[in-house]
């Protein structure tokens, strides 16, 4: 069983960022107007440790800026502070997010010295024209070279992509997912684009030059992207921004408190419906899967279950726990075994 990591997040909005990407307003997302001082970081760590008392595998994570792009002295000060807790066995490791063009051998040696274990790169797109239009200011070669270098130095590699960016589309997003998967990251994050206030993207939107995906288009696109990573056993750490960060803000774009569940439920419903031609004159069926997958199969607020009963006239459909990776559909005495590979086959 995989051990759970407990994250203490430290937000450093815009610190180290040389570019102002068209979609970005980190201070709006994090609600932090100023970078966290060492005193702020120390207080945040102590407060979280009190809450996480008796927990193992605790990580401090620097999010929101480009950590390796900030002033080297400041960067080392942050790392030294966290290392005081690591040396006392109160914290296990450090993770950070940064840009691909802020990685080289010298930086990686410094990070290794201070017990950083995980580095996440904001890739966003693997197409240069999309990066340029979004004023990202990095090259595809930066992503390729940095990803290889990070893995060669023994760090865990996380890669972040965005969907629905300005000048992108469903096909380009799928290409990005495929290109990222070829780099064999240890995990990925997928962020559908939201239009934030006080960004250039908001101006483009107001001028009718940028159209956001609606929720259904977003789920359809994510359906294929998730399959790219799942079919290669690449864990997806997150889909979408945490909803509670912006649930009361008037943001534009595909948001939902259970976006991940909607996407996976869509995938499982798709595979179940594929077999429904075999269910003529059957009124009762049972579906077996692991606890996690059963929730996806039933669907958000039982939407899949309701649809199956309504559209296919099942008298009863039940869902049973079974310790398997795929799922089994039982009708009468017939068992249909569906492997995990088939569920996530593209």
């Amino acid at each position: 069983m995989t051990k759970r990591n407990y994250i203490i997040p430290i937000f450093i909005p815009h610190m180290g960022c040389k570019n102002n990407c068209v979609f970005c307003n980190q201070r709006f997302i994090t609600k932090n107007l100023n970078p966290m001082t060492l005193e702020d970081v120390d207080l945040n760590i102590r407060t979280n440790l009190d809450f996480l008392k008796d927990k193992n595998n605790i990580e401090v994570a620097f999010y929101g800026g480009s950590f390796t792009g900030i002033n080297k002295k400041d960067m080392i000060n942050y790392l030294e502070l966290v290392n005081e807790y690591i040396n006392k066995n109160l914290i296990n490791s450090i993770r950070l997010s940064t840009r691909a063009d802020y990685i080289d051998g010298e930086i990686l040696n410094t990070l290794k010295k201070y017990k950083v274990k995980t580095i996440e790169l904001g890739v966003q797109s693997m197409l240069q024209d999309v990066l340029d239009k979004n004023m990202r200011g990095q090259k595809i070669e930066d992503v390729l070279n940095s990803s290889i270098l990070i893995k060669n130095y023994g760090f865990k590699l996380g890669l972040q992509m965005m969907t629905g960016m300005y000048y992108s589309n469903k096909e380009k997003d799928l290409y990005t997912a495929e290109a990222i998967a070829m780099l064999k990251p240890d995990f990925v994050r997928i962020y559908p684009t939201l239009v934030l206030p006080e960004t250039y993207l908001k101006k483009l939107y107001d001028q009718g030059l940028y159209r956001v995906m609606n929720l259904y288009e977003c789920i359809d696109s994510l359906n294929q992207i998730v399959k790219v990573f799942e079919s290669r056993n690449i864990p997806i750490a997150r889909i979408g921004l945490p909803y509670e960060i912006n649930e009361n803000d008037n943001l534009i774009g595909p948001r939902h408190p259970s976006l991940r569940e909607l996407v996976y439920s869509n995938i499982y419903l798709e595979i179940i419906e594929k077999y429904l031609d075999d269910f003529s004159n059957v009124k009762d069926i049972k579906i077996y899967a692991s606890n996690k997958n059963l929730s996806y199969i039933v669907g958000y607020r039982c939407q899949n279950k309701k649809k199956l009963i309504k559209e296919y006239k099942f008298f009863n459909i039940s869902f049973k726990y079974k310790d398997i990776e795929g799922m089994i559909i039982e009708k009468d005495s017939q068992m249909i075994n569906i492997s995990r590979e088939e569920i996530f086959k593209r």
Side-chain angles (χ1 to χ4, degrees):
M1 185 176 178
T2 303
K3 292 182 179 179
R4 178 178 177 181
N5 276 11
Y6 294 90
I7 304 294
I8 297 177
I10 307 293
F11 291 103
I12 51 169
H14 286 300
M15 285 186 71
C17 295
K18 66 179 181 182
N19 287 78
N20 192 16
C21 303
V22 302
F23 50 79
C24 189
N25 186 341
Q26 284 287 346
R27 291 189 177 90
F28 178 82
I29 293 174
T30 63
K31 307 305 182 189
N32 287 343
L33 297 178
N34 298 302
M36 295 187 80
T37 65
L38 289 176
E39 291 76 17
D40 293 332
V41 173
D42 190 46
L43 177 61
N44 192 14
I45 291 173
R46 285 189 281 111
T47 301
N48 276 274
L49 285 177
D50 286 341
F51 179 74
L52 296 171
K53 197 168 291 182
D54 301 323
K55 300 295 185 183
N56 297 316
N57 302 311
I58 299 174
E59 283 188 311
V60 166
F62 289 96
Y63 292 136
S66 296
F67 189 78
T68 59
I70 66 180
N71 178 280
K72 187 174 181 180
K73 180 181 177 182
D74 292 336
M75 181 181 76
I76 290 176
N77 285 339
Y78 281 131
L79 293 173
E80 286 180 340
L81 173 59
V82 180
N83 270 249
E84 291 177 15
Y85 289 92
I86 292 176
N87 293 335
K88 294 175 184 176
N89 296 316
L90 297 172
I91 288 172
N92 297 81
S93 61
I94 300 171
R95 71 167 58 204
L96 57 89
S97 60
T98 191
R99 292 169 56 96
D101 50 344
Y102 288 175
I103 292 291
D104 58 31
E106 180 183 352
I107 287 172
L108 293 179
N109 280 325
T110 299
L111 299 181
K112 187 167 283 291
K113 174 184 175 182
Y114 288 103
K115 302 179 179 65
V116 173
K117 287 191 177 180
T118 303
I119 300 173
E120 299 188 37
L121 298 180
V123 175
Q124 320 316 5
S125 175
M126 288 294 282
L127 287 159
Q128 195 61 54
D129 60 345
V130 176
L131 293 179
D132 292 344
K133 289 288 185 178
N134 285 270
M135 294 189 264
R136 183 67 183 152
Q138 73 180 20
K139 303 296 182 185
I140 301 301
E141 291 79 5
D142 297 328
V143 176
L144 301 175
N145 295 335
S146 294
S147 296
I148 293 169
L149 201 59
I150 288 167
K151 291 177 75 72
N152 286 345
Y153 269 73
F155 294 94
K156 287 185 66 175
L157 172 66
L159 298 178
Q160 304 167 3
M161 69 169 288
M162 294 178 65
T163 63
M165 293 171 69
Y166 174 54
Y167 210 71
S168 192
N169 56 39
K170 183 178 176 180
E171 290 71 27
K172 289 182 177 182
D173 291 346
L174 191 57
Y175 173 87
T176 287
E178 294 279 6
I180 285 176
M182 290 180 68
L183 294 173
K184 299 180 180 178
D186 294 286
F187 64 93
V188 295
R189 297 181 194 268
I190 310 168
Y191 295 116
T193 300
L194 298 177
V195 180
L196 306 181
E198 300 177 25
T199 61
Y200 187 66
L201 188 63
K202 179 65 165 61
K203 293 182 180 179
L204 293 172
Y205 175 82
D206 289 341
Q207 294 169 7
L209 300 175
Y210 171 70
R211 189 186 78 85
V212 297
M213 284 185 174
N214 63 42
L215 183 60
Y216 300 102
E217 291 172 321
C218 178
I219 292 170
D220 183 58
S221 176
L222 289 172
N223 178 307
Q224 296 301 311
I225 290 170
V226 163
K227 289 177 183 176
V228 169
F229 298 122
E230 287 281 5
S231 64
R232 293 167 171 83
N233 293 310
I234 298 172
I236 301 171
R238 174 169 286 283
I239 300 177
L241 290 171
Y243 191 79
E244 62 273 11
I245 285 177
N246 48 47
E247 63 177 322
N248 296 316
D249 295 314
N250 188 25
L251 302 186
I252 302 162
R255 292 188 302 150
H256 193 277
S258 300
L259 183 57
R260 185 190 192 101
E261 184 178 1
L262 291 180
V263 175
Y264 278 82
S265 294
N266 179 263
I267 291 171
Y268 277 93
L269 179 62
E270 183 181 74
I271 199 73
I272 292 169
E273 289 188 310
K274 176 181 175 182
Y275 285 91
L276 287 184
D277 287 341
D278 299 331
F279 286 69
S280 56
N281 301 317
V282 174
K283 294 300 180 183
D284 297 274
I285 66 169
K286 295 177 183 176
I287 298 179
Y288 299 86
S290 68
N291 282 334
K292 181 182 77 171
N293 293 336
L294 277 177
S295 67
Y296 294 144
I297 292 166
V298 174
Y300 177 71
R301 295 184 176 175
C302 295
Q303 287 178 354
N304 285 359
K305 179 180 180 180
K306 292 174 182 176
K307 180 179 180 183
L308 290 170
I309 291 173
K310 180 179 179 180
E311 294 192 11
Y312 298 96
K313 311 301 180 185
F314 292 126
F315 179 75
N316 184 47
I317 178 169
S318 58
F319 304 88
K320 306 288 186 180
Y321 166 77
K322 197 172 183 65
D323 187 17
I324 54 176
E325 287 195 340
M327 67 177 166
I328 297 172
I329 301 177
E330 178 184 356
K331 58 165 187 169
D332 299 331
S333 59
Q334 182 184 357
M335 308 282 275
I336 300 173
N337 286 279
I338 305 171
S339 68
R340 182 184 184 280
E341 288 72 26
E342 182 172 358
I343 292 168
F344 294 109
K345 182 180 179 182
R346 291 190 53 240

